Amino acid sequence: MSQLRAEITRLLTVFQSAGAVRVEADILQPADVLLDLYGEDIRARAYVTFDPLRGEQMLRPDFTVPVVQSHMAESAEPARYTYAGPVFRYQDNDNGRAAQSEQVGYEVFDRGQADAIEAEIFVLFHQILMPLGVTASTGDVGLLVAAIEGLTTSDARKAALRRHIWRPSRFQALLARFSQPVRAKALGADGQQIGLRDASDVELRLLQLVDEAAAPPIPQFEIEALNDLLEVKGHLPEALAQLQALAWRLPAIAFAVDHMAARLAALTSAGLDVSQIGFEAAYGLTAMEYYDGFVFGFYAQHAGWPAVASGGRYDALTRVLGQGRDVPAVGGIIRPEFTLRLSEGDLS
Amino acid sequence: MIKLGVPSKGRLMQETFDWFSARNVHLSKSGSDREYVGRVDGVADVELVLLSAGEIPRELAAGRLHMGVTGTDLVHEKLTNWSDAVEPVAEMGFGFADLIIAVPACWRDVTCLHDLDAVAARFRAQHGFRLRVATKYHRLVRQFMKAEGVADYQLVDSQGATEGAVKNETAEAIADITSTGATIEANHLRILQDGLVLKSQATLWHSKVAEGDCRALIAKIGAGS
């Protein structure tokens, strides 16, 4: 235990040396904010408890939400924060993961040049983690967001696809649906008006369905290019070359590809060997619901371990929590129990 | 001594007794009609335990029952990794119930999960909270919705009269068990075409955790496991 304390202190010190201010967050968090943000899935991951006065409360499943909230409420940019403490993950299936585990995190709220800030954070994590013999994976959700924006289709369809970026099966189902002419929908049998969703809501959607039925299919070459984008995978320089080639077919991603190239250049000039860093366009789409740009993780060669560290950009989350204000945000966490085990050579 | 758990009340208990009788194992309540003590004739070293169908999965998983009769729905809902704890010995051919998702019939535009998901997005934007689905099958419904990629909904707990939740405006949709669909219809609801979460029936389960030899009982009722 004292070794774990020492490891946590070591990591906090590294982040503080990088300019971060230490912050705290309550273990007990109001459930409504987390539920509203993450949806019903969070109940399968977070301990929910209840008291008659305050209603549902959750044992903190991560620090990101309270740190963003406190920043948005009282602070100005640029700001760099670090924190440490236990997080709690309820296990719906017994996968051998601990219910309580430690996290040490680093979050940056900065309106400066996005690629440079992403590179700064990744370099910091890389310096801490690479001596432990882990491998690095990266991705960029911004590529997919840009590709969707560039599709030849209605704003409603783009919004539907954007909403399901983090649910690949529904995303693919939508893409398949939008790639064919729409068949007229057989409506359900009517019934007595009950509930909060009233007749005008139903009428409005029926009109939308008429519009939808008139919408031409998304051109096949765009669907293929989008699916090719999701397949891009390789070490960073190789993946960048694939994406640059793909940008001829998906011009809408050109800006996001340039952003990635600038980030790669920043990593190279910081002395990182980018040929050893993995990239997958689909990385982070299932596990990291609030990330909407650059994402990264560091992994030990050990089945059953979670990522030793992970993080990414989450601008949209600050918009949701900021009540009208938003700020570019990038951050990540390290799991000190696992960095400690790696440094002790314990791979059990 | 093998402990056999059987639902303690109503039609499910009677049909369970009949099912065992047809296999020459006679279960009965001993003592007064109100007392939850049972007896077993026709096979040795089996004790009848009468308890709520909802508690049988937990008792099997804890190894306090060797065998038990309860619905597939309750086993899948109440036990995480249920197949590590129990195994089905026989599907008993009664207690049929489907866990389904139903919406108000007046939602003519909603016939499938795709529609429900689209409507949930609009509902949340309009009302400022997620579309509520009333159920007591939280785990099963959450897993189903996740697998189907439905977003912007929330589950609200309903331990009874779930079909009335929409009318009472405590939910916009429901997930509940139904055998004929009559109660669903009577409450002005309609089942989604692809809204079948689970097909359930009364099933005899064997605990993988309890220590004890159930082979005599299994052989007697003619089921292989």
Side-chain angles (χ1 to χ4, degrees), chain A residues 156-184:
Chain A
R157 285 181 164 187
K158 288 177 191 174
L161 286 167
R162 244 190 338 261
R163 181 168 158 258
H164 283 302
I165 281 177
W166 296 275
R167 295 175 201 89
S169 67
R170 175 65 54 184
F171 184 86
Q172 284 300 329
L174 285 177
L175 211 51
R177 174 183 283 259
F178 298 157
S179 68
Q180 286 159 11
V182 181
R183 279 177 302 171

Side-chain angles (χ1 to χ4, degrees), chain A residues 295-328:
Chain A
V295 283
F296 62 87
F298 291 85
Y299 297 87
Q301 302 298 326
H302 188 278
W305 276 28
V308 177
S310 62
R313 175 174 289 283
Y314 53 91
D315 299 351
L317 184 76
T318 70
R319 197 148 49 237
V320 176
L321 295 175
Q323 293 163 342
R325 205 164 87 83
D326 62 353
V327 54

Side-chain angles (χ1 to χ4, degrees), chain B residues 42-219:
Chain B
V43 62
D45 294 329
V46 177
E47 181 188 341
L48 179 61
V49 181
L50 293 165
L51 72 172
S52 153
E55 289 171 20
I56 290 176
R58 185 190 65 207
E59 295 302 300
L60 286 165
R64 290 187 290 262
L65 290 176
H66 297 84
M67 297 187 74
V69 174
T70 191
T72 329
D73 55 340
L74 293 173
V75 166
H76 288 223
E77 170 65 22
K78 293 189 182 268
L79 301 182
T80 58
N81 296 347
W82 63 269
S83 57
D84 290 347
V86 297
E87 58 187 344
V89 175
E91 295 188 327
M92 302 170 80
F94 56 87
F96 288 105
D98 292 342
L99 177 58
I100 53 85
I101 315 259
V103 300
C106 62
W107 293 10
R108 283 175 299 146
D109 58 322
V110 180
T111 58
C112 60
L113 291 165
H114 169 77
D115 294 325
L116 181 66
D117 175 63
V119 163
R122 163 93 194 148
F123 183 91
R124 186 182 177 196
Q126 198 178 347
H127 293 271
F129 59 89
R130 291 164 182 268
L131 187 144
R132 297 165 298 174
V133 180
T135 191
K136 68 173 169 182
Y137 295 92
H138 295 243
R139 289 185 62 243
L140 285 173
V141 174
R142 192 182 298 122
Q143 283 166 7
F144 179 75
M145 298 290 230
K146 186 179 169 74
E148 296 292 333
V150 177
D152 293 317
Y153 77 98
Q154 60 181 317
L155 298 181
V156 291
D157 188 47
S158 170
Q159 291 293 328
T162 303
E163 296 91 342
V166 179
K167 175 100 179 161
N168 297 333
E169 300 195 351
T170 54
E172 281 65 58
I174 67 150
D176 203 8
I177 49 166
T178 178
S179 45
T180 64
T183 316
I184 301 281
E185 260 180 56
N187 285 281
H188 317 291
L189 301 171
R190 177 166 31 77
I191 298 172
L192 295 181
Q193 285 156 6
D194 51 356
L196 176 64
V197 180
L198 179 77
K199 289 183 91 67
S200 177
Q201 64 171 300
T203 302
L204 176 63
W205 303 90
H206 173 233
S207 169
K208 289 183 168 180
V209 182
E211 284 182 26
D213 188 350
C214 299
R215 280 176 298 184
L217 179 58
I218 292 171

Side-chain angles (χ1 to χ4, degrees), chain A residues 33-148:
Chain A
V33 176
L34 292 162
L35 272 171
D36 195 48
L37 197 62
Y38 294 105
E40 197 51 43
D41 291 348
I42 191 71
R43 284 186 202 270
R45 292 194 285 122
Y47 285 94
V48 185
T49 183
F50 182 87
D51 89 39
L53 197 62
R54 296 174 193 83
E56 274 190 330
Q57 305 280 307
M58 278 184 185
L59 296 188
R60 167 176 79 199
D62 61 46
F63 279 90
T64 311
V65 170
V67 169
V68 170
Q69 276 180 314
S70 83
H71 174 79
M72 299 306 282
E74 53 204 49
S75 306
E77 295 82 32
R80 281 160 169 69
Y81 301 111
T82 185
Y83 50 77
V87 297
F88 304 86
R89 285 290 169 109
Y90 175 93
Q91 305 296 344
D92 203 26
N93 288 301
D94 181 13
N95 60 9
R97 298 258 177 100
Q100 172 175 342
S101 62
E102 296 289 329
Q103 284 190 354
V104 183
Y106 181 65
E107 312 287 337
V108 175
F109 302 91
D110 191 329
R111 297 183 191 274
Q113 204 184 326
D115 52 78
I117 293 162
E118 288 160 5
E120 170 207 315
I121 292 170
F122 187 80
V123 168
L124 187 57
F125 275 68
H126 194 270
Q127 284 166 349
I128 296 169
L129 292 152
M130 292 318 275
L132 301 171
V134 295
T135 54
S137 296
T138 63
D140 193 336
V141 186
L143 290 161
L144 187 51
V145 173
I148 292 167

